[in-house]
Amino acid sequence: MSLLAYAVDTLIFINIYAILALSLNLEAGTARLMNFGKVAFFAIGAYASALLSLTGLPFPASLLGGAVLAGVAGVAVALPALRLREDYLAIATIAFGEIIRLILLNERWLTSGPVGLRGIPQPMRDAVQEYQLFYLALTALFLVGVAAFLQVLTWAPFGRVLRAIREDELVAQALGKHTFSFKARAFALASALAGIAGALFAHYLTFISPDMFMPAVTFSVWTMIVVGGRGSVPGAVAGAAMVVMLERGTRLLKDYTALGVEPSNLRMILLGLMLILFLMYRPQGLIREKKYEVGG
Amino acid sequence: MLAGRGLGKSFGGVEALRDVNIEVRRGRITALIGPNGSGKSTLINVISGVYPPDRGRVEFEGRDITSMPPHAVAELGIIRTFQVPRVFRGMSVIENMLAAAKGEGADGVLSPFFARSRVKGYELSCLRRAREILDFLEIGHMRNEYAGSLSGGQQKLLALARALMAEPRVLLLDEPVAGVAPALARKIFEKILELRNTIGFLIVEHNMDVLMDFADHVYVLHRGEVVAEGTPKEVLGSKQVLEVYFGE
């Protein structure tokens, strides 16, 4: 792969992961919903969209199907799990992530098990010459759309209630907010957005398998929003760019230096280190959540 | 208007409320006094739906609202504040106010996209009302500060302002002027006097001077029981109240 192709490939991954980070940011950054099973909704979107397109459905319908199915899974998880205290919600979502991965691994009739799904159709593959650039534009379009949608929503009355829930849920209830309903809607919406990211991921790679949806993906996405700035839409995008570049950087490094550590291990070490440093010295992240202000 | 009838609540072996009967009426300021640990905050928590009572019931305008969840109680117009201010610390003062406004259909996921003009009108009217309330409570100049950066007294004022923003029909105020400058505390109670014909007030307060000047009816709680009630003058002269506060 040429350096330019590698750069474009990196940008495509930044766009996809930025959508995933934005979806976690809506849950965890804005509403303090501790979703530690984010990868499950990413995987559901990827597999659902891939399977639908393998049956012959066009890309837009497959992608929509992936998003809807991930959203429905979000509702199914939200109904029991969002009644739990936040630490139990975290545990329940970790478990859900693993359940989904094990289903993907073992339900061979549907997912082909560990072998994974191959030959996932790409949208307009034969109609475009510079396909990578086309896919970069496509993912960028989705990213801009999702970011703009969330920027408006976050600063609208709905987002304000989510922030109030994050700050003190009991007080939000005492002011008449049906907090469960707000949390469930946010969770379902964020799950659907993670499904879109998963679909874009699957159609770009044309191959997916369960080992691409390990809990480490969730850890990376959490790092993206902590580094970027919890609650901040531009922060989540910046965090995704930083983490993806760091992950890619460690892979490149092995071609130029003799490392005593496996690149994948080095990646995890650096991610952990970055997370600790940000939490200690810049807890507000790269781009702090905007403060709502009014003029004189 | 709002009544607790035979309310009882225990935590483990401790009886925090025992057969408490209390009534809040529009047109009068009802105060709740008692030493620390007498059950005042528990009573507010039971009325506002935070704790379900073990015995008795809560009625609002003749309707049984016992064990309703807090948001449903608040939707009826019964708004409470907390002993510790509990402001939304990571949000600006003005946003704290807007978060307390009734949603009126503007807080849906799709509202900012498909009902833009309605949301805009809603935001403008909420902003106008929020500014009026903040200015009255003399914290209007702090509107763009983070709520967490306000002093304790200012946070109390913000909690009160936020409660007023929620369009209450009954306000349950847990020590609303603790830590507030005395002159402003009196001013707040003067405003409460103005509002008492439209809003019912149940106020937990330790500032006896202010209470005696402004309260119309006082309940005295001691070890979870109402030991005295009446006008401030009657209560202050009551032997039981003196025993509660000063011992026999």
Side-chain angles (χ1 to χ4, degrees):
Chain A
M1 193 184 265
S2 72
L3 203 61
L4 179 67
Y6 191 74
V8 173
D9 180 69
T10 302
L11 287 174
I12 290 171
F13 272 89
I14 288 174
N15 290 342
I16 292 171
Y17 278 102
I19 295 171
L20 192 57
L22 282 168
S23 88
L24 181 65
N25 191 48
L26 177 67
E27 292 164 338
T30 308
R32 206 187 174 91
L33 299 173
M34 299 311 214
N35 185 350
F36 280 96
K38 193 75 216 171
V39 67
F41 305 97
F42 185 55
I44 291 170
Y47 267 85
S49 183
L51 286 166
L52 289 171
S53 67
L54 285 169
T55 64
L57 269 184
F59 171 74
S62 304
L63 180 127
L64 187 66
V68 168
L69 204 69
V72 170
V75 173
V77 173
L79 290 178
L82 290 183
R83 295 184 193 278
L84 301 173
R85 234 174 49 196
E86 76 184 32
D87 35 2
Y88 292 108
L89 171 67
I91 293 167
T93 49
I94 289 174
F96 181 72
E98 277 303 277
I99 289 168
I100 291 298
R101 195 175 63 83
L102 291 172
I103 289 174
L104 298 178
L105 203 59
N106 294 299
E107 297 301 323
R108 288 164 189 259
W109 62 274
L110 182 68
T111 64
S112 303
V115 180
L117 297 174
R118 289 170 192 279
I120 302 163
Q122 292 190 310
M124 299 178 70
R125 184 69 185 98
D126 301 325
V128 182
Q129 262 191 337
E130 293 292 338
Y131 195 75
Q132 237 194 342
L133 285 176
F134 164 76
Y135 212 86
L136 175 64
L138 182 73
T139 52
L141 202 67
F142 271 98
L143 173 59
V144 169
V146 169
F149 171 76
L150 289 177
Q151 183 69 10
V152 172
L153 185 65
T154 308
W155 294 100
F158 179 80
R160 188 180 300 133
V161 176
L162 294 185
R163 272 194 298 286
I165 291 170
R166 174 187 71 191
E167 297 292 321
D168 195 326
E169 186 172 356
L170 178 58
V171 173
Q173 289 174 349
L175 291 168
K177 309 300 175 194
H178 191 342
T179 57
F180 179 79
S181 156
F182 281 90
K183 290 195 298 184
R185 281 181 281 165
F187 203 86
L189 175 63
S191 301
L193 294 176
I196 290 176
L200 291 171
F201 178 79
H203 290 277
Y204 177 58
L205 293 180
T206 69
F207 164 71
I208 50 172
S209 66
D211 61 0
M212 292 172 167
F213 303 100
M214 302 294 277
V217 175
T218 301
F219 176 70
S220 287
V221 183
W222 266 94
T223 310
M224 289 170 194
I225 66 163
V226 171
V227 166
R230 277 169 287 183
S232 160
V233 167
V237 178
M242 200 162 163
V243 170
V244 170
M245 283 197 284
L246 184 128
E247 288 184 344
R248 291 301 180 102
T250 54
R251 268 182 232 172
L252 269 184
L253 216 58
K254 77 167 188 228
D255 296 338
Y256 299 98
T257 56
L259 291 169
V261 210
E262 263 292 301
S264 59
N265 293 342
L266 179 69
R267 190 170 71 225
M268 293 311 285
I269 292 168
L270 289 178
L271 272 182
L273 193 67
M274 190 162 78
L275 193 61
I276 292 167
L277 289 175
F278 265 89
L279 286 172
M280 283 176 73
Y281 299 109
R282 201 173 165 81
Q284 72 275 28
L286 287 170
I287 304 171
R288 188 182 183 143
E289 184 187 59
K290 195 175 90 177
K291 181 167 70 168
Y292 184 94
E293 290 180 322
V294 286
Chain B
M1 185 179 196
L2 176 68
R5 311 224 186 269
L7 291 171
K9 181 74 190 169
S10 299
F11 297 101
V14 180
E15 216 171 355
L17 293 177
R18 196 184 310 164
D19 194 27
V20 171
N21 291 291
I22 191 167
E23 203 166 337
V24 180
R25 289 188 210 152
R26 196 178 292 129
R28 78 176 191 188
I29 294 172
T30 307
L32 189 60
I33 63 170
N36 287 335
S38 58
K40 304 183 297 291
S41 293
T42 304
L43 181 59
I44 300 262
N45 281 333
V46 165
I47 294 173
S48 61
V50 175
Y51 301 145
D54 299 330
R55 290 169 297 282
R57 61 184 198 279
V58 182
E59 290 172 4
F60 181 58
E61 293 179 339
R63 181 179 165 193
D64 189 349
I65 61 163
T66 317
S67 303
M68 266 192 179
H71 73 86
V73 173
E75 275 170 13
L76 292 172
I78 302 168
I79 304 294
R80 53 90 49 98
T81 64
F82 294 80
Q83 201 175 353
V84 179
R86 294 180 77 157
V87 294
F88 301 133
R89 300 178 63 85
M91 293 161 69
S92 65
V93 167
I94 192 78
E95 202 182 16
N96 264 262
M97 295 295 285
L98 297 180
K102 282 186 175 170
E104 290 168 13
D107 55 4
V109 173
L110 298 177
S111 311
F113 306 99
F114 296 109
R116 279 179 70 176
S117 59
R118 199 176 74 191
V119 171
K120 203 172 170 190
Y122 165 84
E123 291 276 277
L124 285 175
S125 88
C126 288
L127 267 176
R128 202 176 310 120
R129 204 152 51 83
R131 280 168 173 253
E132 278 170 18
I133 296 170
L134 289 175
D135 286 342
F136 163 72
L137 291 172
E138 300 181 6
I139 50 170
H141 61 292
M142 313 284 290
R143 64 184 174 275
N144 289 331
E145 301 296 321
Y146 277 113
S149 71
L150 303 187
S151 70
Q154 287 167 335
Q155 289 190 18
K156 277 276 178 192
L157 293 176
L158 175 56
L160 177 62
R162 207 173 50 181
L164 289 170
M165 188 73 192
E167 298 175 47
R169 296 170 71 195
V170 177
L171 263 179
L172 314 174
L173 303 176
D174 204 344
E175 299 190 29
V177 293
V180 174
L184 184 55
R186 293 196 77 82
K187 215 176 153 199
I188 289 167
F189 269 91
E190 279 161 16
K191 179 69 179 176
I192 288 172
L193 270 184
E194 279 174 37
L195 294 171
R196 70 175 168 179
N197 288 327
T198 48
I199 300 173
F201 283 94
L202 175 64
I203 304 175
V204 173
E205 188 51 64
H206 286 299
N207 188 334
M208 290 297 184
D209 289 342
V210 189
L211 264 191
M212 292 306 140
D213 287 350
F214 292 99
D216 299 300
H217 195 82
V218 180
Y219 289 92
V220 184
L221 266 186
H222 181 51
R223 292 182 182 154
E225 280 185 284
V226 175
V227 291
E229 69 167 295
T231 62
K233 208 173 167 186
E234 286 166 354
V235 164
L236 215 62
S238 150
K239 193 169 162 260
Q240 286 120 310
V241 175
L242 293 174
E243 277 175 15
V244 163
Y245 278 97
F246 303 109
E248 290 183 36

